[in-house]
Amino acid sequence: MDVKKEKILTDEEVDILQEIMNIAFGQAASDLADVIDIHVILSVPFVKILQAPELPGYIRDEIRDICNISIIEQKFLGKFRGNALMVFPSHAGKELIALFGLEENMHPDADPAETLGRETLMEVGNIMIGACIGKLSELLRDSVTYSPPRIIIENHPCDTIPDSQLAADDSAIVLKTVFSFDRGSISGFVFLVTSHESIQWLKEALRKFIERYE
Amino acid sequence: MIFAQIFDAINIGLVILDRDLKVCKWNRWMEMNSGIPAAEIVGSHIFDFFPNLKTRKFLRSCKSVFTFGNFCFFSQKLHRCLFPFKTTGCFDTRFEYMQQSCAMGPLRDENNEVKYLFIYVQDVTEAATYEQKLVEMNMRDSLTGIYNRRFLESKLREEFKRHKRYSRPLSIIMFDIDFFKKVNDKYGHQCGDFILKSVSSMIASQIRNVDFLIRYGGEEFCCLLPETALEPALGVAERFRKSVMEHDNNFDGNNIKVTISLGVAEIRPNISSPETLLKKVDEALYRAKRKGRNRVEAMI
């Protein structure tokens, strides 16, 4: 059934990637606690190879129990490149304003709470995505730059995520982690969708990584 | 280094800070807009010149740039500006300070270590001004300058939610200029427009700043009164009626007197939606019309 999957990464490569992710996300979580003074739990990441058009369906299945969601997207660009998607429940924005101490930035004539909620989601998305990608690319000896985060889906029932928004390359490596802040009251998912072009590089980087330990 | 000329040529502010957050570079754009010459600020701590930058968010961003090699973004919507510069070259703006979209990122040495961070500052005052104007236009009536029906619809939804949470009273007055068609027929549409403006500006001057005056349709208006129960709202409506009746509308040498009919309703437990409330107040208004106009009727 997974003929295409084998073409992208071998089982061994997936194992190595899984291992790198474990290390990267472990470090990211502890650095995040240091940087943002908020305890973040990042679950052991899960690696899955998918065809990109399958991704919306996959996300729908993964987050079935959350009612309405918003998705933040950020492109990362290095030898390792692709899209990072961060899925939050819709109400999270407003709660994160206080948690991240962003009220102090609010201007007296600031926009309504909804706008601030959106901006907060983007800001938190940027921190989380940056931490995860940053650590990962560091381990793979790459350095990446980022596009500004943007909201691609806002307050949308998750069972109707449109396919078109997310269809990208022919294939995608989906790295999924579940995160939660503030003793678990706010949680969501990070999906990293790597672009097809960086797969050759990734294979090479994985090989070099494992060589360092052999 | 020839390429380095771009640093001063570019129409964007560029700042480079070292790990102690001391200024290493301050480009010409920054000199121009801040009035601080590079020679003065280079080598100093950025907070010595911009103490207000020392926020949790800014410090956290610096830290995450140095720790993760992250990029951090300071959107205009959330932050308005990082560096408080006076607006220049944009006269038609309500912003006191230049609106900025800023980002921060890492500069690495040959060993891939983050040695410095850069900040770029883009002036987005013009775009922010346009956006503000569009938002304004979207919720105001172009003739009278008061709120429009679209605004009422979204405001009512909001107020209903608030009412559900806190059970605070909310009333609405709907009123209509009596025999408005006759004014139009007799004096022309320009005069009709004048009457609409005159009535709305007079009522607008009588309401509290928490109330909302809306042009609902042709010669039909609504006034939303948060934190107000039916009884006091009836008093307000009666005041509106009297003042419109007594007001002289001088147009083209004619003194035109008009009157209004008003309906008043408040949120009750059996009124579950904004639509029902509007229906109730509309019924009250029509009763006022049927009973002879120039009067106030409450919902039943």
Side-chain angles (χ1 to χ4, degrees), chain B residues 27-46:
Chain B
N27 80 340
R28 196 170 289 163
W29 190 97
M30 292 300 287
E31 290 189 303
M32 214 171 68
N33 286 286
S34 65
I36 304 168
E40 203 177 303
I41 196 169
V42 167
S44 307
H45 215 277
I46 187 79

Side-chain angles (χ1 to χ4, degrees), chain A residues 27-106:
Chain A
Q27 290 179 357
S30 74
D31 285 348
L32 271 171
D34 179 41
V35 168
I36 60 181
D37 292 322
I38 297 167
H39 186 54
V40 184
I41 300 163
L42 282 174
S43 75
V44 172
F46 175 72
V47 180
K48 190 173 170 66
I49 314 292
L50 283 181
Q51 298 302 108
E54 295 169 3
L55 186 67
Y58 175 71
I59 294 181
R60 281 196 289 269
D61 289 345
E62 288 294 317
I63 54 180
R64 222 184 315 229
D65 53 333
I66 306 175
C67 235
N68 279 6
I69 54 158
S70 296
I71 300 184
I72 314 294
E73 181 222 49
Q74 197 167 16
K75 292 186 171 56
F76 53 97
L77 210 75
K79 293 191 192 80
F80 183 51
R81 63 180 59 178
N83 280 347
L85 301 172
M86 191 149 185
V87 183
F88 285 103
S90 288
H91 61 86
K94 283 176 195 159
E95 291 171 42
L96 288 169
I97 295 177
L99 185 59
F100 274 68
L102 289 163
E103 316 94 313
E104 66 177 339
N105 297 101
M106 279 193 202

